[in-house]
Amino acid sequence: MSDAALLWVASNLAVSTALAVAAWLVQKRARFTTVAHLLWITALVKLVTPPLFAVPVLAAPADDAGGALTAPAVVPVDVDLGPAAQAGGWTMDAWTVTGCAWLLGSACALAWSLWRVARFNTLLRRSSVAAPAALESQLQSLCDRLDLPSPPVLRLTTARITPLVWWIGGRARVYLPAAMLDSLQPQQLRWVLAHELAHVRRGDHFVRWIEWLTCVGFWWNPVTWWARRNLRRNEELCCDALVLRALQGDRHDYADSLLTAVEFLAEPGVRP
């Protein structure tokens, strides 16, 4: 790993960690959830953007006069390095080994994540059908209330998954478990659908790709996973606030509806 790359990584790690700590402190105040969410996103983005400043890494110590100390002279000694070294064998320093391990881990994380995305997308495509007209009408009404100009595609799936927003290009798709239509009351289903549309309204499906990029590139960094977990937590709180503000409903009914949906999904079933 070159000195420039090492300085780049060190600078971004320092700034990202500082932003993550700031976000963690801000999120302790419930009314600053949106600010905390933006800080968590910034902490992830900073890992993959050019550094703001240079961080000295393994700099040479200075002497009393302010100049850098020079390394002591090395006296050549006749040492038998073996036939491999004499034939032009190569060596790697610690930073090169670290860089190779980093790239190998990122390649494995990339391949594994792409395989999961392809597998899950195939499951959704094969197990989903178009939503009935009544639900489509409710979707359009909620989009108007949430100021969402371009409604997402609404699909019902037989897979036992949580309601979710799925986007890999084109229009965003909202998937609801088909069994929910029979287990939830119409008002409860409306709240659940509004929550998913709030994710679309906020563009949270784009944030998933930022998460993916940073987790693949910095899979070894604990701050990455810490930021990802707290980002999603604040994201849900922001969606709750958006739904309650836009629909002017009772927060207890909204909470009960989401809890009912969670209880339904907690029943035994085949996990995708």
Side-chain angles (χ1 to χ4, degrees), residues 97-246:
V97 174
T98 301
C100 291
W102 182 354
L103 292 177
L104 178 61
S106 293
C108 292
L110 176 63
W112 179 68
S113 61
L114 290 177
W115 176 78
R116 290 190 64 193
V117 167
R119 181 170 176 263
F120 190 63
N121 185 64
T122 300
L123 170 70
L124 291 178
R125 188 177 66 252
R126 292 178 177 177
S127 65
S128 65
V129 295
L135 201 55
E136 288 283 359
S137 177
Q138 190 174 67
L139 171 76
Q140 185 60 57
S141 175
L142 290 172
C143 287
D144 294 339
R145 297 288 298 274
L146 291 167
D147 293 328
L148 187 59
S150 179
V153 178
L154 180 59
R155 304 283 290 179
L156 299 181
T157 175
T158 56
R160 199 166 192 83
I161 60 175
T162 61
L164 56 86
V165 178
W166 185 252
W167 182 79
I168 55 174
R171 291 173 62 188
R173 293 174 177 262
V174 173
Y175 287 90
L176 296 179
M180 268 191 171
L181 273 64
D182 299 326
S183 61
L184 298 185
Q185 299 295 326
Q187 180 59 30
Q188 293 175 328
L189 187 62
R190 181 173 180 266
W191 283 122
V192 172
L193 181 56
H195 181 87
E196 299 307 317
L197 291 177
H199 281 295
V200 179
R201 172 69 175 80
R202 288 170 37 82
D204 292 332
H205 49 294
F206 300 123
V207 178
R208 296 288 80 79
W209 289 88
I210 298 176
E211 286 183 14
W212 171 75
L213 179 61
T214 54
C215 289
V216 167
F218 290 83
W219 52 269
W220 49 267
N221 182 18
V223 175
T224 303
W225 302 100
W226 183 40
R228 178 177 180 266
R229 182 175 64 253
N230 284 277
L231 171 65
R232 294 195 177 192
R233 174 189 173 190
N234 285 274
E235 183 178 280
E236 296 298 330
L237 295 175
C238 290
C239 286
D240 293 340
L242 175 59
V243 170
L244 292 172
R245 184 172 62 251

